[in-house]
Amino acid sequence: AAGALFALKERNFRIPQDISIVGADNTRISSHTEPKIATMDNRNTMLGRTAMNELLKLMSGEKPHPVFLSSQIIKNDSI
């Protein structure tokens, strides 16, 4: 998202008036850009732990089932 923000600003797009950008991984850079970028907190640690648990179940012969994890939008100050 930060790379897209910089590229669009170089081409004279106004953010967020002309186009909106939302990040996908809640890295620190999202709060240091101008304007700051809203981002998704995908809870990667929980995602990895859940994926590993499901893989272990599958490897032991258990039937897999759908897993739904929630995300949170982090709306940084200047947006």
Side-chain angles (χ1 to χ4, degrees), residues 12-25:
N12 297 315
F13 281 86
R14 297 171 303 150
I15 313 324
Q17 295 87 348
D18 297 330
I19 191 166
S20 296
I21 298 173
V22 177
D25 53 8

Side-chain angles (χ1 to χ4, degrees), residues 56-76:
L56 291 171
K57 287 178 188 176
L58 184 62
M59 290 171 62
S60 70
E62 291 183 43
K63 183 177 178 181
H65 63 278
V67 176
F68 298 94
L69 300 175
S70 63
S71 292
Q72 180 180 12
I73 295 177
I74 307 298
K75 187 174 180 184
N76 288 305

Side-chain angles (χ1 to χ4, degrees), residues 1 22-26 38-42 44:
V22 177
D25 53 8
N26 194 22
T39 186
M40 297 292 296
D41 183 355
N42 292 316
N44 291 332

